[in-house]
Amino acid sequence: MRRLIEKAENEHSLDKADIVALLSDGESTQELLNAADRVRERYVGSAVHLRGLIEFSNYCRQNCCYCGIRRDNKQAQRYRLNPEEIVLHARAAAKLGFKTVVMQSGEDVFFTVDRMTDIIREIKKSDIAVTLSIGEKSFEEYQAYREAGADRYLLRIETTDKELYHRLDPGMSWDNRRRCLSDLKSLGYEVGSGSMVGLPDQSIESIADDILFFKETGVDMAGIGPFIPHGQTPLANAKGREFVLSLKTMAITRLLLPDINIPATTAMETLNPNGRIIALQSGANVVMPNVTQGEYRKKYELYPGKICVNDTPVKCRTCIEAKILSIGRTIGTGKGFRGEFLNGRPD
Ligand code: SAM
Ligand code: FES
């Protein structure tokens, strides 16, 4: 295993069998995480980029079996912020020092192209980067958002096992999700994708394929998080909660894609009280603190046990900042685009 880790650290390439071997081995975990930490330092530096997450609607037309805000969860208390509230959230985040806001929601048809583009234009007046995470759209819609000023887009592929994807995402098409990622790239977005780890019937081989998919498609960001079963979904009794396997998947992704942005995901902290810091020491360089206000935080319940639901944006920002500084890292002062560090902008 040591030889494989060295190869990945120096050459940033592994074949599928090597990845499967590393993911399956229980002895070399810490060595793997340490190697990812060194590669992170070398390629993206010690700065941690904070992105303020605005969860602006939990209405969704999709019915993903793993997701707490799926269409058929009649117990979910639905909410949506109106466009003015969204812009106010973004301005408040900018005032708190965030250089990026991530606007995330279910696939909510209320937000037409006109409404979304107005919101994006208004937010861009604050000179912050705008990341969208609002699901599958047409090329024309992605184009309109890009022209309105959106900089980045997050759309996880969830799993590269097509058969599993179609079982877990009824009515959706893996090829269409793939098409979305290609469209986003061709429109000049910084593209973030990612996956869940520990889905029912997900094989180690398919997790290796997920990592290779990130490399082949040239994603700029990869968000990898454990699947956490939600009681009001068809997967309520699934096991999930694979913290270490998620960390290892993230670490191998860092070794193979050394200069991309990798978030320490909130789901990791849900499984381990120190999860985001452990992730930051295992290859991650981004954190997305929640800047949604009040009651909405609880209602955006993708999985149970979500952290910080009773906190305020200021508290979350202060708390994570202190944790980051305590491990000798710094807070990024720029917008944190891919390649900034290597191009000579130290943050
Ligand atoms: N609707 C947008 C989309 O599909 O990309 C953004 C919102 S969606 C809820 C954001 C991500 O939450 C999904 O890509 C999925 O990976 C993650 N997620 C959903 N349910 C989850 C669960 N039970 N455990 C962990 N992550 C989950
Ligand atoms: Fe739409 Fe989860 S099913 S956001």
Side-chain angles (χ1 to χ4, degrees):
M1 290 304 145
R2 180 161 300 156
R3 190 189 55 77
L4 283 186
I5 295 171
E6 265 174 32
K7 175 175 186 286
E9 183 169 353
N10 297 322
E11 297 170 22
H12 312 301
S13 92
L14 287 176
D15 63 24
K16 183 170 169 181
D18 294 340
I19 299 174
V20 169
L22 278 175
L23 288 173
S24 312
D25 181 63
E27 307 282 299
S28 57
T29 300
Q30 198 53 53
E31 259 178 88
L32 171 66
L33 305 183
N34 292 346
D37 195 41
R38 288 192 293 273
V39 169
R40 186 270 312 149
E41 182 67 33
R42 200 160 4 117
Y43 282 84
V44 293
S46 63
V48 175
H49 301 289
L50 300 181
R51 326 279 203 207
L53 177 65
I54 306 173
E55 297 163 335
F56 67 92
S57 165
N58 69 356
Y59 282 90
C60 191
R61 68 188 173 111
Q62 302 292 6
N63 215 12
C64 306
C65 293
Y66 41 81
C67 183
I69 61 171
R70 66 198 299 269
R71 186 178 70 226
D72 282 354
N73 181 6
K74 302 296 177 217
Q75 293 179 60
Q77 295 175 37
R78 303 289 168 175
Y79 74 89
R80 68 166 64 88
L81 305 188
N82 64 42
E84 294 72 31
E85 287 175 303
I86 298 173
V87 172
L88 287 176
H89 270 73
R91 285 198 194 128
K95 264 208 181 127
L96 276 178
F98 288 99
K99 301 285 183 278
T100 297
V101 286
V102 180
M103 297 168 60
Q104 191 176 91
S105 68
E107 292 194 8
D108 183 353
V109 292
F110 170 85
F111 289 98
T112 56
V113 180
D114 284 349
R115 283 195 174 116
M116 266 331 276
T117 47
D118 284 351
I119 295 168
I120 295 165
R121 274 194 214 96
E122 208 43 49
I123 293 178
K124 286 300 288 183
K125 292 181 184 162
S126 293
D127 187 31
I128 47 178
V130 169
T131 303
L132 299 178
S133 175
I134 56 177
E136 296 183 15
K137 309 282 173 189
S138 66
F139 179 87
E140 289 72 26
E141 279 181 79
Y142 288 146
Q143 186 170 34
Y145 303 150
R146 181 85 184 115
E147 284 169 7
D151 302 276
R152 307 189 178 101
Y153 206 102
L154 305 183
L155 186 78
R156 287 182 174 182
I157 196 70
E158 316 293 4
T159 170
T160 47
D161 178 340
K162 285 193 190 189
E163 196 273 322
L164 180 62
Y165 180 87
H166 290 131
R167 224 173 335 127
L168 296 183
D169 297 88
M172 296 174 79
S173 141
W174 190 92
D175 287 331
N176 190 51
R177 209 155 178 88
R178 176 73 189 84
R179 187 271 307 159
C180 289
L181 291 170
S182 302
D183 284 355
L184 291 163
K185 191 133 194 113
S186 72
L187 286 164
Y189 283 91
E190 270 209 344
V191 177
S193 193
S195 59
M196 278 178 287
V197 172
L199 291 165
D201 298 327
Q202 185 183 37
S203 65
I204 293 290
E205 284 73 17
S206 86
I207 298 176
D209 282 334
D210 297 347
I211 300 172
L212 291 170
F213 174 86
F214 303 144
K215 192 154 173 87
E216 274 157 33
T217 53
V219 297
D220 302 300
M221 186 271 214
I224 293 151
F227 157 63
I228 304 175
H230 186 294
Q232 290 147 18
T233 64
L235 300 186
N237 297 320
K239 186 170 158 278
R241 308 179 74 87
E242 294 273 6
F243 179 67
V244 176
L245 189 57
S246 302
L247 272 182
K248 289 171 75 172
T249 306
M250 191 197 75
I252 298 172
T253 303
R254 168 62 70 205
L255 294 177
L256 298 199
L257 292 94
D259 69 334
I260 66 167
N261 283 317
I262 298 186
T265 54
T266 310
M268 288 198 181
E269 189 114 338
T270 299
L271 296 187
N272 181 312
N274 211 23
R276 285 179 300 179
I277 290 298
I278 297 171
L280 286 173
Q281 294 175 313
S282 310
N285 70 320
V286 168
V287 177
M288 294 169 31
N290 198 335
V291 297
T292 321
Q293 315 227 2
E295 282 302 294
Y296 303 130
R297 286 172 178 250
K298 272 194 204 84
K299 294 182 180 164
Y300 197 84
E301 192 191 55
L302 310 181
Y303 47 79
K306 192 181 157 203
I307 56 163
C308 310
V309 287
N310 294 314
D311 293 326
T312 61
V314 181
K315 162 102 195 303
C316 279
R317 160 107 202 182
T318 319
C319 160
I320 192 67
E321 197 164 322
K323 285 186 183 179
I324 291 166
L325 298 177
S326 78
I327 56 165
R329 301 277 282 278
T330 57
I331 307 292
T333 54
K335 290 185 177 136
F337 286 105
R338 180 183 187 181
E340 278 183 0
F341 178 77
L342 287 180
N343 294 335
R345 290 206 22 214
D347 57 24

